[in-house]
Amino acid sequence: VTIDHPLRLGLGVVALIIFALLYAMLARRATTHDLAYSNIAFFRDAAKPRTWIPRTLQGLWLVAFAALILGVGGPHLQLMLPAHDGSVFICIDTSGSMAATDVFPTRAEASKAAARAFISESPSGTKIGIISFAGAAGVVVPLSADHQAVLSGLDEIPPPNGATAIGDALALAVRMLPRKGHRVIVLITDGVNNTGADPMEVAQRLGNQHIPVYTVGIGTENGGLIPGTNEEATIDEGRVARVRTGQQRRLRASRECDAASRRALDSRTNDLAPTQTRRCIAAVRNCGRLGNGLRVPGRVGIGTLSVSDDPIARLTEWIEEAGGATRIDAIAMCLATVGANDRPAARMVLLRGLDRRGLQFFTSYESRKGRELAENPFAAALLYWPWLERQVRIEGVISMLPESESDEYFDSRPRGHQLAAWASEQSAPVESHAVLEERFAHFEQRFEGEAVPRPHSWGGYLLAPSYFEFWQGRPNRMHERLEYKRSGSDWEIIRLQP
Amino acid sequence: VTIRDALLRARRRPRHFGAGSPTVYRGDGYEFVELRAYVPGDDVRRIDWASTARSGELQTRVVLEDVTLTLAAILDASPSMGVGRKRPLVTAAREALADWFGAATAEDRCIHIAGGSITAAALQRGSRRAVALRDDAGAFDLNKTLRTAYAALPRGTALLAISDWYDLDAGVDRELAGLGARFDCTALIARDPWYEQLPLAGIVRLRGAEGGTLRGYIGARERAAYLAAVRAREASLLRRFEAANWRTGLLREEDGGASLAAAFGLRS
């Protein structure tokens, strides 16, 4: 709760206290105006007047007065309510610099992915429109509450080419937005404005109309090459930041304005930061690159699954699309095994290799999965990429990798990981973590100055698949499922209902 | 019939003889009433010789008895008597007191008792100035005044006490009885100004005549309770005084003289 006029409130409270004290004093003193009675004690005993009634009324009166004073103080509570009736224009930069590949696969594709994530996370009812801009701005999808239509409109964004007219795009968005209601502009750009209206001017106008602009910068600090040219694209972070802070700049400029209007504007813009816009920023942050090292996925959920006869190739492709081998959650795989006790057990492992033979992962042979695989070589694995709405189920037989391959992989690991493989007897009980630390230190000393050899209890496994199921999420749960069953050296392919 | 007559006729007629004012009783005095035939036993000094000679039979002169009354009064002039609907009760009380002392004839003594002091009220027959008494400025202490009266007044005194009797202690009944046995006592009880009905409703603020304030809600329930309590109090006071052999009356705000007369069963 904030108080608009603390001075008024303070004065009011002081006045209230003085008034209450005066009132109490005067009420105590009988005046000649009061009706006289010969003996008050007798009257009190005789009539037993209800004294709590005037007392209660006095109390209520005091409360009312206090409330009035509080009201004069102007308290207000800012509640952040999700706005479902908002209108959002997403302005996507399609200038030539957006073809740069410093963000995977390209800045333009990353922008689309970010927009897609934002749209799919927006609450239904929010009207979303898309504007693409290069040398000139154009509406790709007008404001619509049909998010599916908006999503499909993303595919119609023209390929990166031309100059960057951020100002024109913002101006167009303002023209297209309704005159009332929650209005938000999300600007996805690399910020190199080089034509059209001055974005800062437009941003000021937006500030006047209380339309917040959330700007998402796309690009790395080092920039990247634009394919097919020798140009190098950079990101104008300064400009991006300036556009993003247009609101604040305006507020700062209006410091000379009277306090009331500034406060009104302030509270207004706060109210106008609806939840989905924050989600947008979060979604865009997750997908687009904002200096956190994450790679942006490429094509997302496009087209129907073609029936390819090579599941390994398809899996490789999907992993690449999910971010490739360097992205942990692209290669995180759930591995289920069944031991001699016929009870299944599942855990996550990292898929460290994929070739014609099958899927490879590395672990301690003495771990629980190692023991269970020794007892029962059949296993199932699952890869899931929720942001792509994709899942792959794999089943098959597991065998140990040749020692040479295990050695090769072990040597590629960081030294700390290698030492940990020595220090830990995986899945065996340990008294305390300190014991582990001690053992780690011990092996650190033992292998000081030399390469750490692979422990014999540690190595790779190969999951030779005999079954695949590829699952591609689709709107309205009309998912696609393709099943691959090994029959001899070929794969039998069956399309399943969702 | 006057208050004085009523006092003399009362059962509690003071045994107080001697030269004074003629009473309604025929006896030893100076005021001639009639001549009648001699009855054996008549004082021979009362035989009217002139009329005996004229009539040839013994004639006796009948005269009224001469009695000197002592009229004492206690007036509660404390602030609690200063209330009233149209005028203060104490005004009516002063009227009653004026009538009381006004009843005195030449030889009667008038005594005003206030607190520890006794004032001989200057008396002029027929003059109401007699009651232009200086009230004791200090607080009126009813019980102390009663004790003073008991100790200081001569036996047979006619004592009038006017008060609202709020301060009458519960344990004072024995003293009241003592006063009733010793003197011809009359108590005038100031009737509550709101005896008929309590003219209050809603949230009211009352000021005590002798201090204190009260703020409360008065509704039908309170009014009924008040009336019942007032009536009960008055009845209880009347009972107590009658038990102590006092003559009782109610002091009404409108007319003090009439109230006093009513106490003696007279029409004013």
Side-chain angles (χ1 to χ4, degrees), chain B residues 229-248:
Chain B
V230 162
R231 276 153 222 273
R233 191 182 93 87
E234 195 179 281
S236 143
L237 277 175
L238 289 172
R239 263 201 313 283
R240 282 172 75 186
F241 281 113
E242 274 155 19
N245 197 27
W246 283 51
R247 187 187 290 107
T248 53

Side-chain angles (χ1 to χ4, degrees), chain B residues 70-74 101 109-113 118-121 153-154 157:
Chain B
T70 305
L71 297 173
I74 296 171
F101 286 136
R109 284 194 293 164
C110 294
I111 299 175
H112 182 241
I113 307 160
I118 292 181
T119 317
L153 291 177
T157 300

Side-chain angles (χ1 to χ4, degrees), chain B residues 104-214:
Chain B
T105 53
E107 302 297 324
D108 291 341
R109 284 194 293 164
C110 294
I111 299 175
H112 182 241
I113 307 160
S117 67
I118 292 181
T119 317
L123 181 71
Q124 215 173 2
R125 186 169 178 141
S127 163
R128 301 232 158 168
R129 277 197 296 139
V131 291
L133 297 171
R134 185 174 51 81
D135 295 322
D136 265 25
F140 177 80
D141 184 338
L142 181 67
N143 298 300
K144 188 176 164 195
T145 309
L146 287 177
R147 278 197 297 279
T148 306
Y150 185 79
L153 291 177
R155 182 175 282 277
T157 300
L159 174 66
L160 172 71
I162 311 174
S163 175
D164 46 23
W165 303 105
Y166 274 113
D167 307 326
L168 196 62
D169 292 342
V172 90
D173 283 2
R174 265 188 66 203
E175 288 175 35
L176 287 182
L179 284 163
R182 199 177 172 100
F183 310 121
D184 178 2
C185 292
T186 307
L188 268 189
I189 300 163
R191 169 159 272 185
D192 193 287
W194 299 331
Y195 184 85
E196 298 303 330
Q197 62 165 8
L198 188 59
L200 299 175
I203 293 170
V204 298
R205 223 168 77 143
L206 283 183
R207 167 173 62 89
E210 292 176 357
T213 56
L214 175 78

Side-chain angles (χ1 to χ4, degrees), chain A residues 120-149:
Chain A
S120 47
E121 289 207 13
S122 292
S124 60
T126 307
K127 287 182 186 160
I128 303 177
I130 296 174
I131 287 174
S132 73
F133 63 95
V139 176
V140 180
V141 181
L143 278 179
S144 162
D146 182 356
H147 293 180
Q148 288 308 323

